[in-house]
Amino acid sequence: MIKISLPDGSVREVEKGTTSMDVALSISEGLARNVLSAKVNGEIWDANRPIEADADLQLLTWKDTDGKSTFWHSSAHLMAEALEALYPGIKFWVGPPVENGFYYDVDTGEHAISSNDFKKIEDKMIELARGKSPFERMPISKADAISYFKEKDDNYKLDLLEGLEDGNITLYKQGNFTDLCRGPHIPHTGFIKAAKIMNVAGAFFKGDQSKKQLTRVYGITFPKQGELKEYLAMVEEAKKRDHRKLGQELDLFAFSDKVGKGLPLWLPKGAMLRERLENFLKKAQLKAGYLPVITPHIGSKKLYETSGHWEKYGEDSFQPILTPEEGEEFMLKPMNCPHHCEIFKTRPRSYKDLPLRLAEFGTVYRYEQSGELHGLTRVRGFTQDDAHIFCANDQVEDEFKKVIDLVLYVFKSLGYDEFSAQISLRSKEDRSKYIGKDEDWDRAEQAIIKAAGEKELDTVIAYGEAAFYGPKLDFMVKDALGRKWQLGTIQVDYQLPNRFELEYVGADNQKHRPVMIHRAPFGSLERFIAILIENTAGNFPLWLSPEQIAILPISEKYEDYANELFLELQESDIRGYVDHRDEKIGRKIRDAEVNKIPLMLIVGEKEQEERKVSVRRKGEGDLGQMTLEEFTAYANQEINKNIPKFGAK
Ligand SMILES: [Zn+2]
Ligand SMILES: [Zn+2]
């Protein structure tokens, strides 16, 4: 008999050789129907692989990321089987799962696959899936594997085999298809109920441009037909909300090849939006005890030699800037932290100065490969809502709680109601790579767990995910389309205080080294705004709207009155524009709607006579006539509605 420990803490005694599927069946048949694979002692296994010794067991279903990966990777095998049936002689390289679905890199030989063939492939996949073919795991010696693929004349798999160690090689077979694969896979193909081929693209063998170009076939599958429909609807909606498209349509930002790839140009409306976000956070940070600082966009190369950035990233980043002075070299700053460390060092510090919280909207530059650049989410120059907290070891827990409060305030104010957090700690086994004292790590890790617990965050703990220089807490938000985005990080750092030899005098009159906490609720303004655009589809909350009002005179006779209104509203900090064009009022309203202006003020003869405005709100329609005072009061109330005061209960 062996002992199987389940995540709920219960332990089951079962016979040696029992499978995860057997355990699932002993719990309930419903559960067993949904089990895709299982985590056995932290390793993902086929659900029907026999367990031979005591083990920790977690059953994985569609709800688990790892379960989904097993499902999608198995679907890549199913797609390969369909492709082999449809295109005899086709050769396969690798077929991993990706964030949404999977792909397989294939050498189509004399065939070509285009979007016209997608339906045919999907139909074949579903036909094969209905056969409920089990995925069979077959351990094989390297020599046997080589002779198998030699016989098949499959140089791709022979290439893969070269790098594999004898004794650890497995083949997997389902239906008529056998692949070299370490697994794991779902129990049988019948779990796959819906399939869609999404795209084909060229992909060089091993990513090497001098090698043969293969065809990368992307697909996605689901355990229910309905889920595929929902997914495709989401993809359509995501296309409409793409921040690159909306950013252009709403005149928020642009790129110019002449300025340089990946360097966003903020247009007036985008700059207005960004400024609102900055002011919002600055106000809250002031209340939370942060002190604003400003540091230059460049720093001497020596600064980054001290910080370690030069050694780590120097070669792959923007190269040093030379000056007429011999030997003088500067770097575009890739991070604000080194500058802030130098601010800490500008004068002797005592424990009474701690925690010292230095905040800066600091613009940094990192050289991303041009193929990696993507709208505002991957750029080469961006502004972090950065801050560094210098504190004593016993202040870490309190500081974490305070930063969590700030992050949650940001989420709440911007309508992100669904979020989760990941606590990244040291690996349980190998602790040799982490710098800093063990006791400090223990304390900080416990502090983060405790702070997250007290703030009732929905957290997962990831062992081995901590950076070598400290544990961290990352936030993930779910957007309106159900997509997850990583926002906001709080990171403990034992390294930079060492490298910069930071010190403070403690109450014991001795010198101590402070801990540094890096934190950024938005992450970067560029990325945050990209996510905000996609989450709101460009319908920003009133307080953030670059243009809150559009004043629409019915004809030029009412222009003076419109201008007068505009100036008065500007006095009350309500922003927008007057539509002076010689267009019909219907057209003006339509254009304001297209530009996602929240409030429209229509003025004609009656309004001018009575010193009133006719108000229309986007998405709500006509709100009737108001005096200027009434409208100002209404607008201010609506503006303030969504931004609670920071620190208010
Ligand atoms: Zn596989
Ligand atoms: Zn930092």
Side-chain angles (χ1 to χ4, degrees), residues 50-323:
I51 305 173
E52 305 291 352
D54 291 355
D56 289 331
L57 173 69
Q58 186 194 347
L59 298 166
L60 299 172
T61 67
W62 182 248
K63 288 195 191 93
D64 303 291
T65 311
D66 290 330
K68 266 198 185 105
S69 293
T70 308
F71 187 90
W72 281 333
H73 170 66
S74 305
S75 302
H77 282 244
L78 178 69
M79 179 174 80
E81 187 184 357
L83 290 172
E84 202 172 50
L86 294 166
Y87 308 97
I90 189 168
K91 298 262 175 356
F92 300 94
W93 172 232
V94 289
V98 291
E99 198 186 344
N100 290 301
F102 54 88
Y103 67 76
Y104 218 127
D105 281 349
V106 299
D107 179 347
T108 55
E110 78 229 42
H111 311 282
I113 299 176
S114 76
S115 55
N116 296 328
D117 306 309
F118 290 179
K119 174 85 172 51
K120 185 168 74 183
I121 302 167
E122 292 155 9
D123 290 348
K124 191 78 191 168
M125 282 173 76
I126 293 305
E127 179 198 318
L128 293 168
R130 289 205 181 109
K132 297 190 179 173
S133 313
F135 283 87
E136 285 174 65
R137 181 174 186 273
M138 304 185 290
I140 187 171
S141 72
K142 190 162 179 170
D144 286 351
I146 289 173
S147 69
Y148 175 83
F149 287 106
K150 266 203 177 133
E151 185 146 330
K152 225 183 151 190
D153 193 22
D154 190 337
N155 289 324
Y156 294 102
K157 297 296 168 181
L158 287 170
D159 188 298
L160 271 183
L161 270 167
E162 262 175 41
L164 299 183
E165 209 180 295
D166 200 8
N168 270 325
I169 300 173
T170 48
L171 299 182
Y172 273 88
K173 178 173 187 284
Q174 99 274 359
N176 288 319
F177 183 72
T178 303
D179 205 349
L180 174 67
C181 183
R182 81 174 87 87
H185 297 96
I186 56 177
H188 61 76
T189 56
F191 281 74
I192 300 163
K193 295 283 187 346
K196 186 89 191 161
I197 305 302
M198 300 298 289
N199 192 15
V200 283
F204 290 103
F205 180 53
K206 295 186 177 177
D208 183 342
Q209 297 199 12
S210 68
K211 299 221 158 79
K212 186 170 179 153
Q213 193 170 44
L214 303 176
T215 303
R216 181 166 293 180
V217 188
Y218 287 94
I220 193 162
T221 49
F222 291 91
K224 283 185 189 140
Q225 189 66 40
E227 287 192 49
L228 173 61
K229 272 197 191 133
E230 272 171 38
Y231 175 76
L232 294 176
M234 190 277 286
V235 169
E236 270 317 297
E237 183 59 29
K239 270 187 210 157
K240 281 186 220 154
R241 290 171 179 235
D242 189 320
H243 75 277
R244 294 167 300 177
K245 178 173 165 281
L246 282 174
Q248 191 177 25
E249 284 169 14
L250 299 175
D251 267 335
L252 298 173
F253 60 88
F255 289 93
S256 143
D257 276 344
K258 215 162 196 172
V259 170
K261 282 198 175 70
L263 298 169
L265 303 172
W266 289 92
L267 306 178
K269 288 186 206 174
M272 179 64 86
L273 171 67
R274 183 176 147 151
E275 212 171 272
R276 297 297 120 191
L277 278 171
E278 277 187 34
N279 292 344
F280 154 77
L281 189 57
K282 276 182 185 165
K283 199 170 154 189
Q285 287 187 162
L286 217 52
K287 282 194 191 171
Y290 288 82
L291 305 172
V293 293
I294 297 172
T295 64
H297 288 236
I298 63 173
S300 131
K301 186 179 152 193
K302 291 195 189 85
L303 181 70
Y304 301 106
E305 281 168 351
T306 302
S307 71
H309 288 115
W310 169 251
E311 195 191 350
K312 197 139 194 243
Y313 305 108
E315 299 243 308
D316 303 321
S317 198
F318 288 108
Q319 292 306 293
I321 302 161
L322 304 180
T323 74

